[in-house]
Amino acid sequence: MEFLFVFHKDYETFRLPELDSVAKLLNVQISYSGTLEEDDIFLVVKCPSEQDATNIANRCILLRGVYEVLSTGDTYENLAKNARVFIDQNPNWAERYLTENTTFKLNVVTFGKKRPNKQELIDNFMHLPWKGKVSLESPQLQFDVLEACTLPRDKDFMNPKTVALYFCRKISDSARDLITKYDLKQRKFIGTTSMNASLSFLVANQGLVTSKSLIMDPFAGTGSLLVSAAHFGAHVIGSDIDIRVLRGKQYNYKKKEIIKSLKTTEEKEQWKEKQEIKDKDFNIKVNLDQYGLTKKAGLDLVRIDLSQTYAWRFANNKIRKGPALDAIICDPPYGIRAGARKIGKEESEIKIIPEEKAKDHIPSRIAYEPEELMADLMEFAARSLVVGGRLVYWFHCGPDFIEDDLPKHPQFKLISNSIDVMTQKQHRRLITVEKFN
């Protein structure tokens, strides 16, 4: 069966990798021809069933929705005529959807062009054999006219050219509402490196995260990626070299804003005294609690130095032998916003830490070069991921990037490479690799 998949225009190079990954995690065989260029939003996809298409849409962030195409045409008049031909030639379809006991809505959706008089366009379809009742609020069926426009070569902004025109039955919306639900502006615990909801859920989809997954972020920070994985029911593990990150200290930027807003020193001191009681519970767990995910996710927080990869050894046991992680998702620190560090000392001298101070002691740290960090990350992933498990990570680079710049490992194959242009000189790429042996 063929369906029309309609995409948003943001994160263009992420759209097909997300679609392919979601289809794989749902075990749905899909096929399509061509690639989505920057201005393209329509893609015809072959899918086994309508339910499979719906399941894919319900997981994708970059989709608008999935449709059954009833007719195409070069004008609204021809589109409506072709729709009538389709209905007359498919009586079984009409008996199923154009019945008296259904409610429906007819809508015109334009991309790249404004249509101020949509009702005049809808009037073209009034001759169709509608039998149900119109419901604008909660219809059982929705029929959309989809029009995509683009600027002609002379860039006449007042007269964009129609490049695609479809009359469709809407099958399903996407999971786009997750972006609003998990918006960072509403998050209780954030920092400068917290990743927005759109990208966090794209990482989770690339990692094939399900309710049966064991997921780890070795650079957890404020837990943005862990929250998205936990939403899909995964058990999540977060680690970081900085114990203050895991405890939440010095990362509550909203708290600093509140303190700045207080006028007198006395007010600030009183507020700080009350807040100290809450600080011990103010960390990544607060974000999972906010969305009711803590119990389901079974959050574990571990302080670890990634350079010491031998620290992660999964014991052979009756439950699960050997590697245990289904995916590693992370945004490694590259020095752009937060430089990477590892445990060590510049000097050769060794100081003995008194036993009474050992519990809260924070070891000295030295710079962790990006090449060394990535080599350790790949080795850690090779040791701890199951076969078929994925490592999904952000790779910061410049505009002169070539694929040979990516770290290599004999146990991984490249699945996708999508670019997010942050500034003219600073780009980042979402890299997905899969362990194959």
Side-chain angles (χ1 to χ4, degrees):
M1 299 179 67
E2 289 189 344
F3 301 93
L4 183 67
F5 281 54
V6 182
F7 291 84
H8 289 273
K9 282 190 176 182
D10 55 345
Y11 302 114
E12 290 89 350
T13 63
F14 293 74
R15 295 179 295 183
L16 290 184
E18 183 194 31
L19 176 62
D20 292 336
S21 294
V22 169
K24 179 173 182 177
L25 74 87
L26 295 176
N27 196 27
V28 176
Q29 297 294 324
I30 65 170
S31 62
Y32 51 84
S33 59
T35 59
L36 281 173
E37 299 299 329
E38 183 176 344
D39 292 331
D40 294 339
I41 58 171
F42 296 142
L43 183 69
V44 177
V45 179
K46 290 183 179 180
C47 197
S49 70
E50 184 173 309
Q51 185 58 57
D52 287 326
T54 298
N55 292 341
I56 291 174
N58 290 341
R59 180 68 188 251
C60 286
I61 300 297
L62 299 182
L63 268 177
R64 284 180 178 270
V66 175
Y67 297 81
E68 176 191 13
V69 177
L70 307 181
S71 69
T72 61
D74 55 354
T75 66
Y76 277 82
E77 293 78 6
N78 289 335
L79 186 68
K81 290 178 181 178
N82 294 337
R84 183 58 190 254
V85 172
F86 171 84
I87 294 172
D88 292 342
Q89 293 179 349
N90 295 273
N92 291 336
W93 182 93
E95 289 178 4
R96 181 176 181 181
Y97 296 110
L98 302 183
T99 61
E100 294 180 355
N101 59 352
T102 60
T103 58
F104 71 94
K105 175 183 178 180
L106 180 58
N107 193 29
V108 173
V109 184
T110 59
F111 306 95
K113 182 178 183 178
K114 291 185 178 181
R115 288 282 193 178
N117 300 316
K118 291 186 178 181
Q119 186 56 49
E120 293 182 6
L121 303 175
I122 291 176
D123 289 342
N124 289 287
F125 300 87
M126 289 299 97
H127 72 285
L128 299 181
W130 306 108
K131 295 181 181 179
K133 296 181 179 180
V134 175
S135 174
L136 299 181
E137 298 298 328
S138 56
Q140 294 172 303
L141 297 172
Q142 180 170 324
F143 297 91
D144 285 350
V145 177
L146 306 176
E147 180 184 13
C149 303
T150 187
L151 292 175
R153 291 184 178 180
D154 58 3
K155 295 186 177 181
D156 183 0
F157 289 91
M158 298 303 295
N159 295 293
K161 180 182 178 181
T162 296
V163 294
L165 201 55
Y166 297 97
F167 178 63
C168 308
R169 176 178 65 88
K170 190 170 188 178
I171 294 173
S172 177
D173 287 311
S174 70
R176 190 75 173 188
D177 60 326
L178 292 178
I179 297 176
T180 302
K181 180 180 178 180
Y182 288 89
D183 190 349
L184 283 182
K185 293 179 181 178
Q186 309 301 324
R187 200 76 58 85
K188 292 183 178 180
F189 179 57
I190 62 171
T192 55
T193 58
S194 296
M195 186 159 291
N196 69 47
S198 298
L199 296 177
S200 295
F201 279 105
L202 286 174
V203 170
N205 280 339
Q206 288 299 106
L208 308 181
V209 176
T210 71
S211 59
K212 298 180 180 179
S213 301
L214 178 60
I215 307 297
M216 182 179 178
D217 180 356
F219 312 100
T222 58
S224 299
L225 300 183
L226 297 181
V227 169
S228 63
H231 169 81
F232 294 123
H235 181 98
V236 296
I237 302 172
S239 73
D240 205 287
I241 192 173
D242 193 341
I243 192 64
R244 294 169 298 180
V245 175
L246 302 180
R247 289 176 176 173
K249 292 182 178 180
Q250 299 184 5
Y251 274 74
N252 183 2
Y253 289 91
K254 288 187 177 181
K255 183 176 72 173
K256 292 182 179 180
E257 292 176 2
I258 293 173
I259 294 175
K260 288 181 181 179
S261 67
L262 299 176
K263 296 180 179 180
T264 66
T265 303
E266 184 179 358
E267 287 178 337
K268 292 180 180 180
E269 292 300 325
Q270 289 178 352
W271 191 90
K272 285 181 180 180
E273 289 179 5
K274 293 179 180 179
Q275 190 65 25
E276 283 180 2
I277 302 174
K278 302 177 182 179
D279 278 350
K280 63 179 181 180
D281 296 323
F282 205 92
N283 54 24
I284 297 173
K285 181 178 177 294
V286 171
N287 286 338
L288 272 72
D289 288 343
Q290 181 178 351
Y291 301 105
L293 300 174
T294 306
K295 184 177 181 180
K296 180 168 63 172
L299 173 69
D300 287 319
L301 297 174
V302 184
R303 180 175 181 268
I304 189 172
D305 179 1
L306 189 67
S307 67
Q308 302 178 29
T309 54
Y310 58 83
W312 275 95
R313 292 192 295 266
F314 294 94
N316 292 331
N317 53 61
K318 295 180 180 180
I319 300 176
R320 198 167 191 175
K321 296 183 178 181
L325 298 178
D326 296 295
I328 296 173
I329 56 177
C330 59
D331 181 15
Y334 282 90
I336 295 177
R337 291 183 298 173
R341 312 288 290 177
K342 64 179 181 178
I343 293 174
K345 293 180 70 67
E346 300 293 348
E347 306 87 4
S348 58
E349 62 180 20
I350 299 176
K351 295 182 180 180
I352 299 176
I353 307 302
E355 185 176 347
E356 65 273 12
K357 296 183 179 180
K359 181 180 179 181
D360 294 321
H361 173 66
I362 299 177
S364 300
R365 292 174 292 158
I366 58 176
Y368 200 178
E369 295 301 325
E371 294 80 5
E372 183 185 1
L373 181 151
M374 290 309 303
D376 288 341
L377 176 62
M378 297 295 288
E379 180 61 27
F380 167 64
R383 295 186 185 192
S384 56
L385 283 173
V386 299
V387 173
R390 287 187 170 186
L391 167 62
V392 185
Y393 65 94
W394 289 96
F395 186 83
H396 292 258
C397 60
D400 56 347
F401 165 87
I402 58 174
E403 204 162 275
D404 286 341
D405 293 338
L406 296 175
K408 305 293 191 301
H409 194 284
Q411 289 183 261
F412 289 98
K413 61 180 179 181
L414 180 66
I415 300 298
S416 64
N417 170 7
S418 303
I419 184 171
D420 177 30
V421 179
M422 297 187 293
T423 67
Q424 187 175 1
K425 295 183 178 181
Q426 291 183 356
H427 301 171
R428 60 181 173 184
R429 291 174 177 270
L430 184 62
I431 309 299
T432 303
V433 296
E434 188 171 289
K435 183 178 176 180
F436 63 88
N437 65 22

